[in-house]
Amino acid sequence: MKTDRLKADLRFLLAPAEIEIDGIHPWDIRVYNNQFFERLFSDGTLGAGEAYVEGWWECAQLDELIARVMKLDIEKKIKANWKLISDVFITRLINRQSKSRAFSNGQYHYDIGNDLFSIMLDKRMTYTCAYWKDAATLDEAQENKLDLTCRKINLQPGMQVLDIGCGWGSFAKYAAEKYDVQVTGITISPQQIELGKELCAGLPVQLKLMDYRDLTGQYDRIVSLGMFEHVGHKNHRRFIEIAHRCLKDDGLFLLHTIGSDNPSTHNDPWIDKYIFPGSLIPSISQIGKAIEGLFIMEDWHNFGKDYDKTLRAWYDNFNKGWSQLSQKYDDAFYRMWKYYLLVCAGTFKAGKNHLWQIVLSKGGVPGGYVSIR
């Protein structure tokens, strides 16, 4: 039977990682619908994710399973289908992160509901990788990251700071409270703006619903925390050019982004379809090409392993808070969100994705930049 052959093929592919089908390890795959095998081999990661959400298979330690699979590079051994090939081709022809698409792409994810993010995230609602050095809780780790960011760009009282992709204003609020600076933050999410303005009330913080391509003015410092992944390869250079134009000559720009080992023009098809439409994780070479001739790279810090722990903390909060969220969201949403958080954790656990904080200057720092960790 075809199912038996495909099941045997999958066993063979997974064996080097000590992953079994219906085995006893917590990272083993438990299959409840044998149509899973054909769907996996025909639709790849898109089929795997959709089948998981539909309850066709399960795994007790999903993040560990994904980490083991990632180290196998198993996707290269499974024949790509024509749908995936056509999707990749289309990304080379059109700008999927154009200005007209940016708002719909971003709102698809960030406007799901502030109730969800309030339960899942830390008390400051920081939706980027935490910094777990000397931290015991998610709240502490996120404050560490915010303070690390402020110190890396040497914030001084009275400075004008631009936050590109400000979310609910966590960095803006922290920097205004702790470093006595004035912050302008932009986002394409109306729900983030609505709650962010409440959270930052009374502080010298201005949050705007705006695409980065409409930015004007000049600032002493610029940060962008977890937004560059939405820019797209066709827009990398323009994004950096705008940051360069908006930064004063003696300023510093901190770019915080997930990073990939290899350059690509498309994201994982399941993530693209269900979680972050139009997203793309940049590589070193893509970032280098975008900043070349505009900025000097002063510091490049990788703390990608901290994202594994951050995503696990987000999942734990989401899971614990599901009794409240289930009044609004259905079981399919629960499985989709669980899959998203734990699969992403697995990619960082495997070292296939990274978290980079890059400090850039226009003409160099007098006396040299001192790296902050």
Side-chain angles (χ1 to χ4, degrees):
M1 291 177 61
K2 185 178 181 180
T3 297
D4 292 337
R5 177 174 57 79
L6 293 176
K7 187 175 183 179
D9 289 345
L10 184 59
R11 276 200 172 109
F12 176 77
L13 289 169
L14 297 177
E18 299 182 345
I19 301 169
E20 298 177 4
I21 299 170
D22 298 325
I24 62 172
H25 304 112
W27 58 80
D28 286 338
I29 298 172
R30 296 196 174 276
V31 178
Y32 302 125
N33 186 329
N34 282 331
Q35 294 179 72
F36 162 73
F37 300 107
E38 184 171 355
R39 195 166 184 180
L40 174 65
F41 278 92
S42 63
D43 294 339
T45 59
L46 177 61
E50 290 179 336
Y52 182 85
V53 173
E54 292 168 28
W56 288 16
W57 65 280
E58 188 55 89
C59 176
Q61 287 186 3
L62 190 55
D63 55 331
E64 178 63 21
L65 166 67
I66 297 303
R68 288 170 177 259
V69 170
M70 292 289 288
K71 290 178 182 179
L72 287 176
D73 287 326
I74 197 171
E75 290 179 46
K76 297 177 182 177
K77 302 173 185 177
I78 298 177
K79 187 178 180 181
N81 63 24
W82 285 108
K83 174 66 166 60
L84 177 57
I85 292 171
S86 65
D87 286 348
V88 172
F89 183 67
I90 287 170
T91 64
R92 295 180 184 276
L93 296 180
I94 66 173
N95 186 352
R96 299 188 65 237
Q97 301 83 14
S98 65
K99 189 174 177 180
S100 62
R101 291 170 179 259
F103 280 84
S104 60
N105 284 347
Q107 290 167 18
Y108 181 88
H109 184 90
Y110 296 105
D111 281 0
I112 290 173
N114 286 332
D115 55 345
L116 166 66
F117 294 108
S118 295
I119 284 174
M120 187 179 86
L121 304 178
D122 64 300
K123 65 181 180 182
R124 289 184 177 271
M125 295 190 69
T126 314
Y127 198 19
T128 49
C129 181
Y131 191 53
W132 288 89
K133 182 180 179 181
D134 300 324
T137 67
L138 179 62
D139 286 343
E140 292 173 354
Q142 288 293 15
E143 291 226 357
N144 277 357
K145 189 272 304 297
L146 295 174
D147 197 62
L148 179 74
T149 302
C150 292
R151 289 186 290 121
K152 281 184 176 182
I153 57 175
N154 190 26
L155 280 189
Q156 299 297 322
M159 282 185 170
Q160 297 283 340
V161 183
L162 173 64
D163 183 357
I164 307 176
C166 63
W168 293 272
S170 63
F171 170 81
K173 182 179 181 181
Y174 185 89
E177 287 176 338
K178 305 294 184 180
Y179 286 83
D180 194 21
V181 296
Q182 299 179 47
V183 186
T184 299
I186 67 166
T187 175
I188 44 73
S189 166
Q191 289 199 27
Q192 287 185 333
I193 286 287
E194 182 182 358
L195 180 56
K197 285 183 176 180
E198 291 181 20
L199 296 174
C200 296
L203 293 169
V205 172
Q206 186 177 22
L207 303 183
K208 299 180 180 180
L209 188 68
M210 179 190 291
D211 184 89
Y212 70 90
R213 281 159 282 215
D214 293 326
L215 281 166
T216 59
Q218 282 205 316
Y219 298 84
D220 299 293
R221 299 290 188 265
I222 298 177
V223 299
S224 184
L225 307 180
M227 183 270 184
F228 197 62
E229 302 90 330
H230 299 289
V231 170
H233 70 287
K234 289 183 177 294
N235 307 305
H236 284 161
R237 181 69 174 185
R238 188 175 179 189
F239 178 92
I240 296 298
E241 287 173 343
I242 290 169
H244 184 271
R245 185 187 71 213
C246 291
L247 184 69
K248 292 181 180 179
D249 288 343
D250 61 350
L252 290 173
F253 169 34
L254 185 142
L255 181 65
H256 170 122
T257 180
I258 296 171
S260 173
D261 285 335
N262 300 302
S264 178
T265 59
H266 64 282
N267 200 357
D268 174 84
W270 187 84
I271 291 289
D272 185 81
K273 183 175 180 179
Y274 293 101
I275 305 297
F276 292 116
S279 59
L280 178 71
I281 298 174
S283 69
I284 289 175
S285 63
Q286 288 172 321
I287 294 174
K289 185 177 180 180
I291 67 176
E292 193 170 45
L294 293 173
F295 283 109
I296 293 172
M297 192 277 290
E298 299 287 355
D299 188 53
W300 196 304
H301 182 190
N302 183 2
F303 52 98
K305 292 297 183 182
D306 286 27
Y307 225 145
D308 172 24
K309 195 169 183 178
T310 303
L311 284 154
R312 285 290 321 191
W314 288 344
Y315 169 69
D316 289 343
N317 287 344
F318 169 71
N319 197 42
K320 291 174 185 174
W322 180 246
S323 59
Q324 296 171 254
L325 295 170
S326 62
Q327 300 172 32
K328 177 180 176 181
Y329 305 93
D330 61 17
D331 289 341
F333 181 87
Y334 173 81
R335 290 185 66 81
M336 178 180 72
W337 213 251
K338 175 183 178 182
Y339 191 77
Y340 150 56
L341 293 170
L342 295 182
V343 164
C344 288
T347 68
F348 289 98
K349 191 172 188 176
K352 294 296 184 180
N353 281 338
H354 313 281
L355 190 287
W356 297 326
Q357 279 200 343
I358 308 164
V359 179
L360 304 168
S361 70
K362 281 188 172 182
V365 175
Y369 181 83
V370 178
S371 297
I372 307 292
R373 296 290 185 266

